[in-house]
Amino acid sequence: MYARGISVFFAGAEGTDLSGALTRISEAFDCRRLLLEGGGTLNGAFLAADMIDETSTLVFPVIDGQSGIPAIYEHTQPCDARRLELISSSTFDDGTIWIRHKVIRDTSHRDRNDSDI
């Protein structure tokens, strides 16, 4: 931990050892759950590693025609789609929709179990 109270955990030389980084975070902070607030690339890495249990998405009522903007989940290699089960949805006064989903796991290709962080 740095003097300013900021902790840094690396995911290996290539940045792909997500399980190892999460294990070190769990040990350092005695936690079992984390909130992932990454950009599309980090979210995509966790999706490809099948390490997302739940999603929380806010849909703001606006559209644009921009290109080259990362999606919510980006990954360098295509990964399997994940089925989602709706947990809840809410609509706010400004038209924003908040949807929460449970990620349905395909246990046929998992290399970690639910007790792992």
Side-chain angles (χ1 to χ4, degrees):
M1 184 178 310
Y2 289 104
R4 294 184 184 211
I6 300 169
S7 300
V8 177
F9 296 86
F10 293 95
E14 300 298 318
T16 57
D17 183 17
L18 300 176
S19 182
L22 290 181
T23 297
R24 290 188 294 282
I25 291 169
S26 175
E27 291 169 355
F29 296 106
D30 192 30
C31 63
R32 299 278 309 135
R33 294 199 164 274
L34 293 174
L35 170 65
L36 174 64
E37 288 188 327
T41 302
L42 184 61
N43 293 342
F46 275 82
L47 178 66
D50 202 23
M51 298 176 81
I52 298 176
D53 298 316
E54 182 179 313
T55 66
S56 176
T57 306
L58 293 170
V59 180
F60 188 72
V62 65
I63 58 174
D64 65 46
Q66 297 182 27
S67 63
I69 305 299
I72 297 172
Y73 299 93
E74 293 277 335
H75 197 262
T76 56
Q77 301 295 319
C79 66
D80 294 337
R82 303 299 192 278
R83 289 191 52 244
L84 303 175
E85 179 181 302
L86 183 65
I87 295 172
S88 66
S89 64
S90 304
T91 303
F92 299 102
D93 291 339
D94 67 355
T96 299
I97 302 168
W98 178 23
I99 47 179
R100 293 180 51 221
H101 289 95
K102 175 182 175 185
V103 176
I104 306 301
R105 299 211 179 280
D106 176 5
T107 57
S108 65
H109 70 278
R110 292 192 69 207
D111 61 350
R112 56 185 281 279
N113 63 46
D114 287 334
S115 66
D116 293 341
I117 184 155

